[in-house]
Every structure is written in structure tokens, then in C-alpha cells.
Amino acid sequence: MAAADPRVLAVAARVAESRERDVPVLLLALKEILNSPSLGRKESEKVKQDIHYYDLTRYCVLVLRQDYSRVRGGWATAAQLAEILSHCCVGLEVKEDPEEFYTKFLPSAIDNLLFLGRRLQARFIRAVKDEEKQDFLRCFQTVTDAICWLFGGHIQLTKHVLQNDHFLQLLVTDNVETAVIMMSVLHSILGVNSSVLLQVDEETLHSVLDELVYKLSSTTNPVIGNAATKLLLLIVKFCKQLLKLLTTRYKGLKVLLSKQWTGKGFDRDLSQLLDLLYLEQSSGKREMQREHQAACIIQAAWRGFQTRKRLKKLPQAVTILQRSFRAKREQERQHLEKQKEDEALKLQMQLQKQRAMRLFHERQLALLEIIHASQVNKHMKEMEVKSALTIQRFWRGYRARRSFHQQRQSLKEYKAAVIIQRAACKFLEKQRSKRPLSPWKDPKGLTDEQRLALQQKVDDYIKLHPASQMSEEMSKELHMQAQEKLAQFMLRSKLDQRAAQRRETLLAQVNTDVELLMNAPRLAETTEKDLAVFMSRSVPVATKAKQSHNAMLKYARWPWWKKLGDEFVEDDVIPDDALNAELGSLFIGGRKSY
């Protein structure tokens, strides 16, 4: 690759090292490089390739979306960057990844340029001062010229421009100046690619045509009318297919054009458009008449065919009609008979109910005549009880039958579930029995290479983690410590064994005393023989018990200030000496064996 232009390299270096807000001003230096008079055609192409190679064109695309109210130079800087971007992209021969350049980079550049145009259009409409409006309009004109220059060099971008939402929103405006500029852009698009309206989707095409017709119908400005009329004339000249669409979709367009725009200074273009519309209408009428005649012939043939078909099926249809009529009449007759039977049954049941009520009342009157007056109340109560029992019996029977029907359904579901589960278990058991047992496979042994590799890993681990060595003195000292701890453990185990024996002895004494107390008779029935069971035959034990009893009584009679030292002593704690003395002279109640 030949050496790059040093001016492009300098600009790229300054852009890479500067802040984001300073990049647009630095990129303006590319305009001087591109407009240099010393550049020929080949040198100009080489400079454009260098600009694209060092991603300066991408910088131009990205900075178009910035807010230029805070950038030096304002929105004029943005317009100049749009012009620089369009000149850099037209005539550029991309050698590295051309598909990405044509399918992604150029559409994104068009999108950002149209977005910049929308912002300039909004600021132009909101501007109050004439000087500001002129500046914004000049910048807007520059941006639209850059867009026209760009899709003029790359024809495939015309479709992308028309389908862009920003372009449609730029076109849909009531401002005269920007509307005229956007219609001139549309005129340039049609001049570059006359068949572009046939390539876009139907919604976009209808939106463009709707906006042009709306401008003709909503304004009386001759500039807008002239631009819209020229656009429609250009459309119908280049795209004959759209002429029929105009005549069918906008039926009042011819009247609107002839009444509202005649004599406004563009009668030549207007008359050409009206001639084309009237010619299409007349040819359309002839086509409609021919289609109408063809449709009438087809309909007559179809109606004749249907009539002949119905005449052939008429006997069968009459038979079917008679059969359905007789069936319906039979159903009505059966319904009437059933209704009469129901009414007769209802009347018979009502008569039986009245007869039963009459018999019941007669029986009641006969009983009242037979029964004594004093027994009437008793008889009425008995009858009420019997009636209540009858009602309750019928109610319980009804409830039991209803519950039985409900339980029968759940029982049926339960039995069905059991049958399904049994069948599934049998099927799974058969499948398990059919499944062949896998033959025993001996474990795979290690090969010589694997054994050597494993031995090498073991040796490496031993080298990295060597075992700690201990001297003879440390081993003896460790042995002595282990012996001391073992002796302490054995001594502790003996003490624990003695304490366990002491606990078992106390539990035996307590169990014996409890058993004696539970089996003891009452005091009124006590004899000397029973008393001897609770008395110890050992003189030392009796003496010790007496001494302990006297000591407890004496301790209980002490004043409170003598007991201050013992307030933190637990009652359950007994000294070992006293416990040993007590156990030494312990006598378990019961008979003493000799």
C-alpha cells in the first residue's frame, strides 16, 4: 500500500487524541484537503481511501447526532460535516470489506443525515429572528444537497431514503420553504432512479402520494402547487403503472387540479397531467365495460348451471322435504300426547292427594269423637311425634340415597384407578423380566504407559510434599506425654466408675423406700409388725439417723443471721465424707437375711 497523505494522518492523530466535543471542529480540516486544487482524479481517490481507511468517515457519521448548539461553529459545522461525508463517500473505491460499506455504512450515513435534517427543520420552524431562520434554512439546504449528492453517487440508496421514517416526516410539513426543498429532493430521487417507487413497499408509496395530493388540496401557495404538480407529472411519466393508481385512489384529483390550480403559472405541466389522467380514465372506463360484460356472461352461465342442477335434484328434494315434514309432524303429535298424559297424571295425583287428605281428616274427627277430652292433647302430641319421625325418615332416606350415588361415582373411579395401576404394574414387571441382564465385564487394567505415568505423578507429589521427620528425643517426649494422658484417663475412668456405683446405690435405696411407702398401710391400721419394717436393726445407722435429724431441727431453729453464710450453698450438694459415712452405715429396708 502506498504511503498515506500526511495531512490525513495529522487529522486522524488529532481526532484520536482530542475530546469528543472537539472532534467535529477537527474534522472540518478534511474539507480543505478535499478541495485542494493540486489534487487530480487519482490523487483525490487516494485521499478518500486514506480518509476511509483511518475511520474518519465513521467519525463524521457518528458526530452528526451530536447537539451542535454547544459546539464551536454551531449547526453550520454540522452542515459542513454532512457535505464532507457525502464528498468522501462518492467516488470512493473500497477494497477491504466492500459489502459492509454498501450494506451497513452507507445506510447508516443516510439515516444520520436525515436525522440531522429533521433537527435543522425543527429549529428553523421554531426560530423567531429572520437571521436565525435564514441560517437554519441555509444549513438545511446544505444537508439536503449532501443527501442528493450521496444517493446520486450510490443509486441503491434511493430506495433506502424513501423508506426511511425521517424522510417521510421531513416531507410531512406545513412549512413552505422546507416542503419545497424536500419535494426537490424527491424530484432528484426520481431523476436518479425513475423506477424506485415500484421497488418500495406499498405503504411507503401510498404515504408519498397521499402527502403530495394533500399538499395540492390543503394550500393555495403556487410554489407548493407547482412543485407537487411537477412531481406527480414526473411520477406518471416514469411509472405508467402508478397512473392507474392515481385515478382509482384519488377520484377527485382531476376536478381539484382543474378548478383550484388553473391559471397559477404552471398551466403547461398541469394540462399534461390532466390529459394523462383523463386518458387513463377513458381507457379505464372501456376496460371496466369490457370486464362488466365478461362478468355478466360468466354470471349468466353460472346461474344457468345452478338452475339445471337444482331441477335435476328437485324430485329428491321433494322426497326429502316430505320426509322431514312427516317426521316433524310426528314429533309434534308425540309431544302433544306426552303433554296430555302428564296433565292427566298430574290431575290424578291431585285427586288422590285430596282424597287422602279427606280420609285423614275424617279419621282424625272419628278419633277425636272416641278419645276422651283429657286425652286429646296427649293424642295430638303423639301424632306430631309420629309425623316428625315420618318426615325425618324420608329425609334421611333421601340424603342416604344422594350420598350413595355420590360415593358410587367415587368408588367407581377408585376401582378404575386400581385396575389401571394393577395393569401398569404387571406391564412394568413383564418389561423388567424381558430385559436381558448385562454380562459381567472385568474392570479394565492399567497399561504399562498409564502405570508409568501414575508412578511419575506419585513421585512428583512425594517430592513436593515430603514427610516430616522426628528426632529420637522428640519421640521419647511425645511417648511420655501420651503415657501421662493415658494414666490421667485411667484414673478419671476409675473415679467415674466409683461415682456411677454410688449413683446406682442411691437409686436402689430410693426405689426401696418408695416401694415400702407405696405398700405401707394407713396409720390407723398400722401394727408393730409393720412398724418394724421401717425401723433399722443396725444401732449405728439408727444413731446416725437420730443425730442427723436433731442437727436438721437445730439448723431450722437458727436465726436468719446465722444462715447468711449458707445462702449460696445448693441444697442438693452433699459432701463426699458425709455421703461415704452414710453409705458405710446404709441399711436397705426389708427383711434381713442371716
Side-chain angles (χ1 to χ4, degrees):
M1 181 178 178
D5 193 306
R7 296 174 295 176
V8 176
L9 285 174
V11 173
R14 288 198 298 272
V15 168
E17 295 173 358
S18 63
R19 296 179 300 175
E20 183 180 356
R21 59 184 301 178
D22 297 334
V23 171
V25 179
L26 295 175
L27 291 174
L28 293 179
L30 296 175
K31 186 175 182 180
E32 183 180 354
I33 299 173
L34 292 170
N35 295 334
S36 178
S38 61
L39 291 177
R41 187 175 63 84
K42 294 185 178 180
E43 289 81 0
S44 178
E45 292 179 357
K46 179 63 173 61
V47 168
K48 292 178 181 179
Q49 289 179 358
D50 293 341
I51 292 172
H52 181 70
Y53 179 76
Y54 289 105
D55 287 337
L56 294 178
T57 53
R58 295 186 183 277
Y59 276 107
C60 291
V61 172
L62 294 175
V63 299
L64 289 177
R65 285 186 173 267
Q66 288 187 5
D67 185 8
Y68 283 87
S69 58
R70 300 179 180 179
V71 178
R72 188 174 63 186
W75 294 98
T77 303
Q80 293 179 21
L81 287 176
E83 189 176 4
I84 291 170
L85 176 62
S86 63
H87 281 81
C88 288
C89 293
V90 174
L92 174 62
E93 184 180 355
V94 180
K95 297 180 180 180
E96 295 182 0
D97 199 2
E99 184 178 358
E100 192 270 340
F101 175 75
Y102 289 109
T103 60
K104 294 182 180 180
F105 177 76
L106 288 179
S108 65
I110 284 290
D111 189 68
N112 287 1
L113 287 171
L114 290 171
F115 179 73
L116 177 61
R118 281 193 63 196
R119 298 174 76 174
L120 289 170
Q121 184 188 52
R123 279 165 174 76
F124 169 73
I125 294 172
R126 291 199 302 266
V128 179
K129 297 180 180 179
D130 294 337
E131 185 178 356
E132 291 181 356
K133 291 180 76 70
Q134 291 299 323
D135 292 340
F136 282 122
L137 184 62
R138 193 180 305 110
C139 294
F140 182 74
Q141 182 69 53
T142 304
V143 173
T144 53
D145 291 343
I147 294 172
C148 294
W149 182 262
L150 187 57
F151 66 68
H154 302 279
I155 301 176
Q156 72 276 10
L157 292 178
T158 54
K159 180 180 177 181
H160 184 78
V161 172
L162 278 180
Q163 290 182 338
N164 196 290
D165 293 337
H166 298 311
F167 176 78
L168 294 177
Q169 291 173 1
L170 284 168
L171 187 62
V172 180
T173 179
D174 294 332
N175 184 264
V176 177
E177 292 85 350
T178 56
V180 171
I181 293 173
M182 289 310 301
M183 284 192 285
S184 67
V185 173
L186 183 57
H187 193 282
S188 301
I189 292 174
L190 293 175
V192 172
N193 187 2
S194 59
S195 61
V196 67
L197 290 176
L198 300 177
Q199 299 173 5
V200 298
D201 56 283
E202 187 177 355
E203 184 180 357
T204 303
L205 175 61
H206 289 172
S207 299
V208 172
L209 294 178
D210 290 346
E211 182 60 26
L212 293 177
V213 174
Y214 173 76
K215 290 184 184 302
L216 288 172
S217 62
S218 64
T219 183
T220 57
N221 193 319
V223 179
I224 297 290
N226 186 15
T229 303
K230 287 183 178 180
L231 274 175
L232 289 177
L233 181 60
L234 189 64
I235 289 172
V236 297
K237 279 184 177 180
F238 287 156
C239 309
K240 299 295 183 181
Q241 296 90 334
L242 299 180
L243 183 59
K244 186 176 181 179
L245 177 63
L246 282 175
T247 55
T248 56
R249 186 176 176 84
Y250 312 103
K251 295 182 179 180
L253 180 61
K254 298 182 292 298
V255 179
L256 174 68
L257 292 174
S258 59
K259 286 186 177 181
Q260 186 171 341
W261 296 106
T262 302
K264 294 295 180 70
F266 49 93
D267 292 342
R268 182 179 177 183
D269 296 334
L270 183 62
S271 61
Q272 291 181 10
L273 180 59
L274 287 173
D275 291 341
L276 290 173
L277 292 175
Y278 280 117
L279 182 62
E280 178 62 25
Q281 185 179 6
S282 60
S283 62
K285 284 183 178 180
R286 287 195 298 271
E287 183 68 23
M288 285 180 62
Q289 289 177 358
R290 192 177 70 227
E291 291 177 356
H292 179 70
Q293 291 176 358
C296 289
I297 294 172
I298 294 171
Q299 289 175 0
W302 173 251
R303 290 193 185 102
F305 171 74
Q306 290 290 335
T307 304
R308 289 189 296 272
K309 189 175 180 181
R310 281 198 301 271
L311 289 174
K312 287 181 181 180
K313 292 183 178 180
L314 187 59
Q316 184 180 359
V318 171
T319 305
I320 294 172
L321 181 62
Q322 291 175 352
R323 188 185 304 118
S324 61
F325 174 74
R326 293 191 188 100
K328 186 176 181 181
R329 187 172 58 182
E330 183 66 21
Q331 289 178 0
E332 291 178 353
R333 186 182 62 77
Q334 291 178 0
H335 179 70
L336 288 174
E337 289 179 357
K338 186 177 180 181
Q339 189 174 3
K340 289 179 180 179
E341 291 175 358
D342 293 341
E343 290 178 355
L345 181 61
K346 186 176 180 181
L347 182 60
Q348 187 178 1
M349 290 179 64
Q350 188 174 2
L351 291 173
Q352 288 179 359
K353 188 184 294 184
Q354 290 178 358
R355 191 178 297 111
M357 290 295 293
R358 189 182 301 111
L359 291 175
F360 175 74
H361 288 306
E362 289 177 356
R363 196 181 300 113
Q364 290 289 329
L365 290 174
L367 288 173
L368 290 174
E369 291 176 357
I370 296 170
I371 297 172
H372 194 270
S374 61
Q375 299 295 325
V376 172
N377 291 333
K378 183 178 179 182
H379 174 71
M380 294 300 292
K381 289 182 180 179
E382 290 177 357
M383 292 302 295
E384 289 178 358
V385 171
K386 288 181 181 180
S387 301
L389 290 175
T390 303
I391 295 171
Q392 290 176 0
R393 184 171 65 254
F394 277 99
W395 167 249
R396 292 193 185 103
Y398 166 73
R399 189 172 58 183
R401 286 191 297 274
R402 186 177 63 181
S403 176
F404 172 73
H405 286 303
Q406 294 176 355
Q407 291 177 359
R408 185 170 60 179
Q409 182 64 23
S410 61
L411 182 62
K412 188 185 296 183
E413 293 176 357
Y414 173 75
K415 288 182 179 179
V418 170
I419 292 171
I420 293 170
Q421 290 175 357
R422 188 185 299 117
C425 291
K426 287 182 180 179
F427 173 75
L428 293 175
E429 187 176 356
K430 287 181 181 179
Q431 292 296 112
R432 284 195 292 268
S433 62
K434 290 180 182 178
R435 190 180 301 165
L437 297 175
S438 60
W440 171 259
K441 294 183 180 179
D442 295 334
K444 275 189 168 183
L446 295 174
T447 61
D448 294 339
E449 296 178 356
Q450 292 176 348
R451 191 178 292 106
L452 289 175
L454 186 61
Q455 184 64 36
Q456 183 64 32
K457 288 182 180 179
V458 172
D459 295 340
D460 294 341
Y461 183 81
I462 292 173
K463 289 179 182 179
L464 291 174
H465 306 85
S468 59
Q469 298 180 357
M470 187 179 294
S471 62
E472 186 177 357
E473 290 80 5
M474 293 177 66
S475 299
K476 289 181 180 180
E477 184 179 357
L478 185 61
H479 177 69
M480 293 300 295
Q481 292 178 1
Q483 290 295 326
E484 290 177 1
K485 290 185 178 180
L486 182 60
Q488 292 176 3
F489 171 74
M490 296 298 292
L491 180 61
R492 242 189 341 266
S493 63
K494 288 181 180 180
L495 293 175
D496 294 340
Q497 188 176 3
R498 287 181 59 193
Q501 290 176 357
R502 189 179 297 116
R503 284 193 297 272
E504 290 177 0
T505 306
L506 288 174
L507 286 172
Q509 180 184 2
V510 169
N511 290 331
T512 304
D513 293 341
V514 169
E515 186 179 357
L516 290 173
L517 290 173
M518 293 293 293
N519 297 329
R522 291 183 295 179
L523 292 177
E525 300 173 356
T526 304
T527 60
E528 293 182 359
K529 187 177 180 180
D530 296 330
L531 185 61
V533 176
F534 294 96
M535 294 178 63
S536 176
R537 300 181 183 180
S538 176
V539 177
V541 172
T543 305
K544 182 63 177 178
K546 186 175 181 180
Q547 290 177 358
S548 298
H549 180 67
N550 292 333
M552 288 300 296
L553 290 176
K554 185 177 179 181
Y555 180 76
R557 294 190 188 99
W558 280 359
W560 62 270
W561 49 272
K562 284 189 177 183
K563 299 178 183 179
L564 290 176
D566 300 332
E567 59 183 352
F568 296 107
V569 179
E570 297 181 1
D571 297 337
D572 297 337
V573 179
I574 302 173
D576 291 340
D577 297 338
L579 182 61
N580 292 333
E582 185 177 356
L583 291 174
S585 58
L586 179 64
F587 170 72
I588 300 175
R591 293 187 178 182
K592 189 174 183 181
S593 60
Y594 295 96

